[in-house]
Amino acid sequence: MENENKITPWEKLPFSHKFMFYKVMTDNPDLCKRLIETLLHIEIDHIERPTGEHVIDPAPGTHGIRLDIYVRGSDKVFDLEMQIVDTGNLPERMRYYQGIMDETELNAGAKYSSLKTSYIMFLCLFDLFGKGFPVYTFQNRCEEDAGLLLNDRTYKIVYNLTEWEQVLDDEERALFQFILDGQARSKFTEALSDHVRKAQLSPQARQAYMTWEQDIKEEAQFRAEKMAKDMAKDMAKDMAKDMAKDIAKDIAKDIAKDIVKDTVKETARKMLSYGDSIEKIVDITHLTAEEVQALQNS
């Protein structure tokens, strides 16, 4: 349907959207630092300016990675990922991200002990593991003795923002809620909200968002074209070129539609859970009333 293809209007883009998250965090290193400190309950002496959509290509022919927010400190590195939907491969992504980050941080000839403590942090608007915990923290342990840590100073942390009520720390709980519904309940989240609104009023930021959306579509088409080329290898050469183009176009459209559709429906479900009216949800998401009712009954 046409409504399913519409992107989120810039003036309604929430902090939980990847681009807005990237925009606010990279423009405001102090807020990024405080967000990390709030989530990890640690103090950080300083951080370098965060980089958004940080691309690491380890070597030609290998799978590169694109990190939402990458932050370096004096003795720590942080990867912050905003995750709206479960893509089915998050544990494997964490594993791969860890290895690539370490390879990037360790200079040639440097000692392994010089590796910085690393944190891979996924902020999820769903419960990835279904155990009902607000935070899942993973370290490498000995199977024969659960109390024996490998002490490789790597942490993979998954935040289940839907369980904000279980969070004991007031500041962290307010942050969980803000990411979910955009409502500020603390001075820190008020600051985040102010910068979200500032970005929404910025013509330059709006243009950057449109460019970002175009980049996403082009990346989807690039991946689709690669898939189509691989599929076409065993086809006749004369047929392959035309068929690959047609397949690439269809796959790219499907990929783009699925990305937008999943994000819009996830937003609608979240709004339903907060008791928003069907009319309000239709106005914000551009879904039809029938589609929202179907989500409500599912």
Side-chain angles (χ1 to χ4, degrees):
M1 300 180 107
E2 183 179 352
N3 285 339
E4 292 177 341
N5 296 329
K6 290 191 176 184
I7 64 175
T8 306
W10 170 247
E11 62 274 8
K12 295 179 180 179
L13 211 65
F15 181 68
S16 58
H17 189 283
K18 281 184 178 291
F19 183 84
M20 185 60 78
F21 181 57
Y22 146 80
K23 178 65 178 171
V24 174
M25 291 291 95
T26 55
D27 283 357
N28 304 277
D30 56 330
L31 293 182
C32 184
K33 176 175 177 290
R34 186 168 177 184
L35 183 142
I36 294 172
E37 290 176 330
T38 299
L39 291 173
L40 295 179
H41 305 283
I42 63 175
E43 290 188 6
I44 305 171
D45 54 359
H46 80 281
I47 62 171
E48 298 177 14
R49 188 175 188 86
T51 55
E53 295 290 298
H54 184 72
V55 177
I56 302 176
D57 290 314
T62 61
H63 194 298
I65 61 176
R66 183 190 299 271
L67 308 178
D68 283 0
I69 303 293
Y70 191 58
V71 184
R72 288 186 176 94
S74 58
D75 59 352
K76 299 178 180 67
V77 290
F78 309 89
D79 167 37
L80 299 172
E81 301 288 328
M82 186 67 72
Q83 198 69 33
I84 303 294
V85 296
D86 183 0
T87 56
N89 62 358
L90 297 189
E92 290 81 6
R93 277 175 60 189
M94 294 179 210
R95 170 185 171 182
Y96 192 66
Y97 284 12
Q98 182 66 67
I100 299 301
M101 287 167 59
D102 284 346
E103 181 180 346
T104 303
E105 290 294 329
L106 192 65
N107 296 323
K111 295 181 178 179
Y112 292 118
S113 58
S114 67
L115 280 169
K116 296 180 178 181
T117 300
S118 69
Y119 297 85
I120 297 177
M121 305 159 66
F122 272 72
L123 308 178
C124 298
L125 277 69
F126 54 90
D127 188 347
L128 178 60
F129 302 104
K131 297 294 184 179
F133 298 125
V135 183
Y136 299 89
T137 304
F138 297 92
Q139 297 185 66
N140 290 320
R141 296 178 179 273
C142 174
E143 288 194 3
E144 289 73 20
D145 182 352
L148 178 59
L149 293 174
L150 184 60
N151 285 326
D152 57 351
R153 295 179 289 111
T154 62
Y155 299 85
K156 302 173 184 68
I157 308 173
V158 179
Y159 295 89
N160 169 23
L161 303 178
T162 63
E163 291 294 335
W164 58 267
E165 291 180 299
Q166 295 191 52
V167 178
L168 300 180
D169 181 76
D170 292 341
E171 189 77 5
E172 185 179 13
R173 183 169 60 252
L175 178 58
F176 273 45
Q177 292 174 283
F178 175 72
I179 297 174
L180 282 172
D181 62 18
Q183 300 299 312
R185 298 174 177 85
S186 68
K187 289 184 178 180
F188 176 46
T189 53
E190 284 176 2
L192 291 174
S193 182
D194 288 344
H195 283 282
V196 168
R197 188 57 185 158
K198 180 180 178 182
Q200 290 171 339
L201 296 174
S202 167
Q204 293 83 3
R206 178 192 291 270
Q207 182 59 44
Y209 172 55
M210 300 308 295
T211 302
W212 180 84
E213 286 284 353
Q214 184 61 35
D215 289 344
I216 292 295
K217 292 178 181 178
E218 289 177 357
E219 183 175 347
Q221 183 168 351
F222 172 78
R223 292 181 181 180
E225 289 173 350
K226 186 177 185 303
M227 290 171 59
K229 288 177 182 178
D230 291 341
M231 292 168 59
K233 281 183 178 180
D234 296 329
M235 300 178 183
K237 289 184 178 180
D238 292 338
M239 298 174 57
K241 186 179 293 185
D242 291 337
M243 291 185 68
K245 288 181 180 179
D246 292 337
I247 293 172
K249 289 179 181 178
D250 291 338
I251 295 176
K253 289 179 181 178
D254 290 341
I255 292 174
K257 285 181 180 179
D258 287 344
I259 292 173
V260 174
K261 182 178 179 181
D262 290 344
T263 301
V264 169
K265 288 190 174 182
E266 191 66 25
T267 299
R269 289 192 181 94
K270 183 172 67 174
M271 293 180 70
L272 284 168
S273 70
Y274 292 127
D276 288 323
S277 67
I278 290 179
E279 292 77 10
K280 180 178 178 181
I281 297 173
V282 168
D283 179 59
I284 290 179
T285 65
H286 301 289
L287 292 172
T288 65
E290 291 77 12
E291 289 171 322
V292 177
Q293 288 174 343
L295 290 174
Q296 189 176 40
N297 296 330
S298 63

